[in-house]
Amino acid sequence: MTYEIIWEPRAANAAARLLKDDPTGLSAVYEAVDALATQPRPTGSVPYGSHDVRRLHVGDYRVLYMVEDDTIRILVTSPGPDTVTTGSRNSSRFPTGSSE
């Protein structure tokens, strides 16, 4: 099965900024996102609050995406460290639902 990749506006805008600042990094992000079309849960991606929302590290960048029926929605692309701090996963935008 091949998934359709849909870039949400926020993620597309962040990627456009990378084009100017880090074209090599953007190329790596695009390659990783393209690969999601045939392998939506690759090694190195981790669930982010639910099985369908995942985070993928691509070099210095993070890609947050949602796997749906036959589509993958790219929600966020961001540089730098994770936005979720260790030990406070329940305070993330996508809570796990567990009572840690």
Side-chain angles (χ1 to χ4, degrees):
M1 173 178 192
T2 301
Y3 290 79
E4 177 185 10
I5 304 290
I6 298 172
W7 286 76
E8 294 297 325
R10 178 178 176 186
N13 291 339
R17 285 190 300 275
L18 289 179
L19 180 60
K20 182 179 81 168
D21 299 335
D22 185 6
T24 303
L26 178 62
S27 178
V29 167
Y30 278 152
E31 286 180 27
V33 167
D34 285 348
L36 294 174
T38 56
Q39 188 177 10
R41 294 175 182 88
T43 302
S45 75
V46 294
Y48 192 76
S50 81
H51 182 68
D52 295 333
V53 177
R54 302 192 63 87
R55 181 181 61 204
L56 179 65
H57 291 214
V58 181
D60 291 335
Y61 299 95
R62 311 297 179 256
V63 177
L64 188 65
Y65 64 98
M66 181 180 296
V67 180
E68 296 177 325
D69 294 329
D70 58 353
T71 62
I72 294 179
R73 292 189 178 279
I74 308 303
L75 304 173
V76 177
T77 56
S78 64
D82 291 336
T83 57
V84 177
T85 58
T86 304
S88 62
R89 289 194 59 90
N90 285 340
S91 64
S92 72
R93 283 187 33 187
F94 300 99
T96 61
S98 66
S99 57
E100 295 179 347

